[in-house]
């Protein structure tokens, strides 16, 4: 999709209003545009789609875009924007943090919270909008990066900036299926960019991490019967990223997925070995389902790996002769 609002036949105020409307539609977020231009406003907007990634190419006279608390409260939006300044200098403020954007700089803007972006002279800028839940980044972690200028001289920014530039130039010629894949690449790089520059989560003192680890283990134990228990759901419940969750377990000698599987098998083993007074007890399949296993065949394979015998053999032996792998 290509749009070019704010063309010359409109009066000055009409041009600004039309341009603002185009930006709002492309960002799927309410914003306010203001300018100090005495003789009217001229600006263009080009919008392209690459899967769920929306690419806005803006060129206009000096203008201030803002999304205030009133906008956020009255019209919530779930989106994250990566800004790439191409020409002109801009002042960006979000989360109490202000920075100057020079040509070539990247910045992350979270549409779920207020921001101010003021272009100080005629400018060119590209905005890349992703749905807020697409990058694997907790909002609290993103908050430490939003509103900062990231010069693409090294690290992930040096990879992301040229990729975004090329994607914007070639978007009209990209097939839809390829666009979906490229959008995923951008989301992954954005998550890596935040991981690289975020403050707080990875900078927590050892004592804080030591506190979080048993909390996570307890949560896993309390939700073993949920078939949907995964590293993703565990991380979401504790408002941390999946990457940070895996880092927590780096020194534990077991991955999160393997821990969930092993604890489920252990609880199944306890139940199968427990004598049932006067009854045959629940079936092996019923026990497996109760502890989050959806496939009896898969459960049997995993159980044998842990205990060295089938669930039925284990039950017959009363849980004796445990062998761990």
């Amino acid at each position: 999709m290509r749009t070019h609002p704010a063309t010359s036949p409109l009066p000055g105020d009409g041009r600004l209003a039309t341009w603002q409307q185009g930006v709002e539609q492309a960002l799927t977020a309410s914003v306010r545009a203001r300018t100090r231009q005495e003789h009217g406003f001229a600006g263009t907007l080009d919008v392209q789609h690459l899967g769920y990634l929306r690419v806005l190419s803006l060129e206009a006279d000096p203008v201030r875009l803002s999304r205030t608390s009133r906008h956020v409260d009255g019209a919530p939006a779930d989106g994250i924007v990566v800004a790439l300044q191409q020409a002109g200098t801009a002042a960006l403020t979000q989360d109490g943090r202000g920075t100057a954007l020079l040509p070539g700089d990247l910045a992350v803007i979270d549409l779920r919270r207020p921001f101010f972006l003021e272009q100080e002279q005629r400018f060119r800028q590209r905005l890349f909008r992703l749905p807020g839940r697409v990058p694997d980044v907790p909002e609290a972690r993103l908050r430490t990066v939003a509103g900062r200028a990231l010069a693409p001289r090294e690290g992930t920014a040096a990879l992301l900036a040229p990729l975004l530039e090329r994607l914007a130039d070639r978007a009209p010629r990209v097939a839809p299926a390829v666009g979906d894949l490229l959008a995923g690449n951008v989301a992954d790089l954005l998550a890596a960019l935040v991981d690289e520059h975020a403050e707080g989560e990875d900078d927590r003192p050892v004592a804080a991490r030591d506190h979080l680890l048993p909390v996570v283990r307890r949560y896993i134990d309390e939700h073993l019967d949920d078939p949907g228990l995964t590293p993703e759901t565990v991380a979401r419940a504790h408002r941390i990223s999946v990457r940070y969750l895996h880092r927590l377990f780096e020194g534990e000698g077991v991955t999160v997925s393997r821990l969930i599987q092993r604890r489920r098998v252990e609880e199944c083993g306890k139940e199968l070995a427990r004598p049932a007074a006067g009854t045959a007890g629940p079936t092996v399949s019923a026990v497996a389902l109760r502890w989050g296993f959806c496939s009896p065949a898969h459960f049997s394979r995993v159980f044998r790996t842990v205990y060295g015998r089938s669930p039925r053999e284990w039950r017959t032996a009363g849980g004796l002769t445990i062998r761990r792998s």
Side-chain angles (χ1 to χ4, degrees):
M1 181 182 85
R2 300 177 67 89
T3 58
H4 295 277
T7 52
S8 54
L10 293 171
D13 291 343
R15 273 182 267 170
L16 180 61
T18 304
W19 189 82
Q20 173 184 312
Q21 184 180 25
V23 173
E24 287 183 317
Q25 291 174 349
L27 292 179
T28 322
S30 298
V31 295
R32 183 180 185 183
R34 288 291 180 266
T35 181
R36 293 194 296 269
Q37 287 287 105
E38 296 181 2
H39 304 293
F41 173 84
T44 61
L45 168 66
D46 179 270
V47 183
Q48 303 287 345
H49 295 267
L50 289 169
Y52 51 75
L53 176 68
R54 198 168 295 175
V55 183
L56 291 70
S57 297
L58 302 86
E59 182 170 1
D61 290 330
V63 66
R64 187 190 200 203
L65 279 179
S66 60
R67 181 164 166 78
T68 65
S69 297
R70 181 176 298 179
H71 289 126
V72 172
D73 294 339
D78 185 21
I80 297 172
V81 171
V82 180
L84 174 59
Q85 191 77 9
Q86 294 180 293
T89 302
L92 171 63
T93 303
Q94 186 165 44
D95 296 327
R97 186 183 300 111
T99 191
L101 296 182
L102 304 178
D105 283 349
L106 291 173
V108 178
I109 302 171
D110 194 335
L111 297 176
R112 295 169 290 194
R113 299 192 303 281
F115 73 88
F116 301 91
L117 178 62
E118 183 162 9
Q119 303 287 348
E120 299 170 353
Q121 57 265 133
R122 187 163 180 86
F123 72 96
R124 282 186 296 109
Q125 185 182 62
R126 279 173 164 161
L127 304 178
F128 302 83
R129 182 199 182 279
L130 289 162
R133 296 188 178 275
V134 167
D136 179 23
V137 180
E139 186 174 349
R141 188 161 173 77
L142 183 68
R143 190 186 292 264
T144 70
V145 178
R148 292 164 55 182
L150 305 172
R153 290 188 290 269
E154 59 184 10
T156 305
L159 299 173
L160 183 57
L163 172 63
L164 293 176
E165 194 76 73
R166 292 189 183 97
L167 288 180
D169 290 339
R170 301 175 187 178
R173 301 185 294 277
V174 175
V178 177
D180 288 334
L181 294 174
L182 292 173
N185 291 337
V186 172
D188 289 342
L189 282 173
L190 174 58
L193 183 75
V194 173
D195 269 356
E196 186 177 298
H197 291 276
E199 302 167 354
E201 202 171 70
D202 288 337
D203 300 326
R204 292 174 180 170
V206 173
R209 296 189 187 188
D210 288 346
H211 169 75
L212 183 57
L213 189 59
V215 170
V216 170
R217 282 182 170 274
R218 185 163 58 249
Y219 178 88
I220 289 172
D221 282 345
E222 292 171 353
H223 293 81
L224 289 174
D225 59 346
D226 179 3
L229 183 66
T230 64
E232 289 74 21
T233 60
V234 173
R236 192 179 308 124
H238 294 85
R239 307 183 74 85
I240 60 177
S241 68
V242 176
R243 290 177 179 82
Y244 184 67
L245 176 65
H246 288 313
R247 290 194 190 106
L248 280 177
F249 280 81
E250 283 178 352
E252 296 299 297
V254 64
T255 65
V256 182
S257 297
R258 189 59 60 87
L259 175 64
I260 293 171
Q261 184 182 83
R262 190 184 74 192
R263 287 291 299 115
R264 282 175 169 159
V265 169
E266 288 174 348
E267 292 303 320
C268 289
K270 290 178 185 177
E271 187 165 347
L272 289 172
R274 191 178 302 131
T279 68
T283 65
V284 170
S285 294
V287 172
L289 288 172
R290 179 156 46 248
W291 290 103
F293 286 98
C294 297
S295 166
H298 172 65
F299 166 64
S300 294
R301 288 194 299 271
V302 174
F303 195 95
R304 185 181 289 276
T305 299
V306 175
Y307 288 123
R309 59 181 64 189
S310 73
R312 286 183 175 80
E313 292 170 339
W314 173 263
R315 164 176 269 173
T316 300
L320 299 177
T321 317
I322 299 175
R323 180 178 69 82
R324 304 247 179 172
S325 62

